[in-house]
Structure formats: C-alpha cells, structure tokens
Amino acid sequence: MNYPNGDEIRAGDKLSLEGGMTGIVLCSFDSKDYLPEFNYESWIDICKTGIMVDTDVAGLIHYSAPNPEFKLLERKRF
C-alpha cells in the first residue's frame, strides 16, 4: 500500500489519518513488513492485504485500501 504521493507505507511509519487521528503502522500485509512486537501470524489469516495501524484515538484499525488522507509524519529508522 502507498501514500497518495506514491511512497510505500512501511511498518514503523507514524502517519496522519482521517479526522485528525494519528497512528503507527504495525504491519504492511502486502509487503510482509511488520514491527517485532506485532503478532503477524495471528493476523495474516484475517487481514490478507493492507495495513494495521495502532491509532491514538480508536486503537487498532485495519485499512484494506489506501486512504487519500494518509500522510507520513515520521519514518522510523531501524
């Protein structure tokens, strides 16, 4: 999944979401990129594509399609 500008969304990205929410990308199911603390094996059968985001307001949200309001705020450096 990509941001509206075409850049790839990666695990660890802090992003701005709809309604003023922010969140951290825990997993990109499309690229199999996930943070170590995310239990990928528990979710892959449920969420085959998209991203899982831990939001500041609503908790975990699975996005199966890109949202035009996604905006990268900070990229985590590993």
Side-chain angles (χ1 to χ4, degrees), residues 28-32 40 43-51 62-64:
S28 170
F29 294 99
D30 301 328
S31 64
K32 298 181 179 107
Y40 179 81
W43 288 95
I44 190 58
D45 289 334
I46 301 166
C47 307
K48 301 205 182 292
T49 62
I51 60 173
H62 174 246
Y63 291 92
S64 58

Side-chain angles (χ1 to χ4, degrees), residues 34-75:
Y34 56 94
L35 296 180
E37 61 268 23
F38 183 74
N39 191 342
Y40 179 81
E41 297 301 321
S42 293
W43 288 95
I44 190 58
D45 289 334
I46 301 166
C47 307
K48 301 205 182 292
T49 62
I51 60 173
M52 182 68 74
V53 180
D54 187 8
T55 68
D56 60 341
V57 175
L60 291 180
I61 299 178
H62 174 246
Y63 291 92
S64 58
N67 184 312
E69 294 189 40
F70 287 171
K71 181 180 176 187
L72 177 64
L73 300 175
E74 184 179 334
R75 177 148 283 164

